[in-house]
Amino acid sequence: MNAEKRHEIFARLRDHIPEPTTELNWTTPFELLTAVLLSAQATDVGVNKATARLFPVANTPRGILELGLDGLKAYIRTIGLYNTKAENLMKTGRILVDQHHGEVPRTRRELEALPGVGRKTANVILNTAFGEPTIAVDTHIFRVANRTGLARGKDVLEVEHKLLRHVPRDFRQDAHHWLILHGRYTCVARKPRCGSCVIEDLCEFKEKIDLA
């Protein structure tokens, strides 16, 4: 895929969704970090329901610590893997209080040192909370990048590096939100909705399915 076609793809995605953002509800970097930690193998809808109960009670690292592990679990037990997620969130809260004055750090190295935070989560925080032009490659982006021909790769890291290299600079800040939303609602895994896709004629997927 050439640079002209990539530019047109993102121009159309921007026209389709002018102000893309995460579907997780948050107002502070720590709320976003909490929501992303809880979202692994869970739906954004399910996470938002849990955080709607949790955040009014505890939406800071110190507040999470004051809840205690069992108290935290009571708020997030509707989310898959809640035991492990609660433990990671408690440990993260302790590190943030002890080492970062209760603030979410702004570097990849410090973020990835937090329990439960990998490269994808760090990229989400850096991009969405702090405005860095990172691209967090999840299963949706991996699928869309490979299927369309935007950035083919055998693993998420290869796709991330190719996207960072090939996505036009003007679109890089919002690229991962556009691709996630496109993968979630149009370029879905089993039966992509090619007939209602705004980039169908630019896409290099050879087995297009006409499902409007």
Side-chain angles (χ1 to χ4, degrees):
M1 181 175 289
N2 60 38
E4 182 179 358
K5 185 180 284 189
R6 288 190 180 94
H7 189 282
E8 179 61 20
I9 283 174
F10 282 102
R12 291 190 193 179
L13 292 176
R14 180 178 60 187
D15 290 343
H16 186 58
I17 308 177
E19 297 181 359
T21 188
T22 178
E23 293 184 310
L24 293 169
N25 295 332
W26 66 284
T27 58
T28 67
F30 182 71
E31 287 188 355
L32 178 61
L33 176 59
T34 299
V36 176
L37 282 173
L38 296 178
S39 69
Q41 299 182 48
T43 66
D44 287 357
V45 171
V47 172
N48 287 337
K49 287 180 180 179
T51 56
R53 299 187 298 270
L54 173 64
F55 287 161
V57 177
N59 69 339
T60 65
R62 196 171 297 280
I64 292 294
L65 293 176
E66 290 174 353
L67 268 184
L69 184 60
D70 289 340
L72 175 58
K73 288 180 180 180
Y75 284 97
I76 67 170
R77 65 174 63 252
T78 56
I79 298 174
L81 306 175
Y82 75 91
N83 284 310
T84 299
K85 292 175 181 179
E87 291 173 1
N88 284 337
L89 188 51
M90 292 294 292
K91 293 175 183 176
T92 289
R94 174 52 61 193
I95 292 172
L96 294 181
V97 168
D98 291 348
Q99 300 180 22
H100 300 286
H101 309 288
E103 301 294 327
V104 176
R106 301 175 70 109
T107 70
R108 179 186 303 282
R109 179 182 61 81
E110 291 172 315
L111 284 167
E112 290 186 8
L114 300 173
V117 176
R119 185 177 183 88
K120 183 184 75 173
T121 297
N123 279 335
V124 171
I125 303 304
L126 290 170
N127 177 274
T128 306
F130 299 132
E132 299 287 339
T134 58
I135 298 178
V137 179
D138 68 350
T139 56
H140 295 299
I141 293 183
F142 184 78
R143 179 176 66 254
V144 171
N146 275 286
R147 184 183 276 168
T148 62
L150 266 172
R152 292 192 172 97
K154 63 182 182 298
D155 55 45
V156 294
L157 188 59
E158 184 178 359
V159 168
E160 178 188 335
H161 287 162
K162 285 187 175 181
L163 285 171
L164 288 171
R165 188 161 67 247
H166 293 309
V167 172
R169 185 173 300 275
D170 291 348
F171 301 107
R172 204 167 296 160
Q173 175 63 37
D174 292 319
H176 93 262
H177 289 306
W178 281 315
L179 295 177
I180 287 172
L181 293 172
H182 190 67
R184 186 172 287 172
Y185 297 111
T186 301
C187 196
V188 296
R190 292 189 177 182
K191 293 184 178 180
R193 301 181 176 100
C194 300
S196 60
C197 175
V198 298
I199 61 169
E200 180 183 5
D201 59 312
L202 303 171
C203 171
E204 296 180 358
F205 182 45
K206 294 180 180 179
E207 299 175 6
K208 293 179 182 176
I209 301 172
D210 189 13
L211 294 175

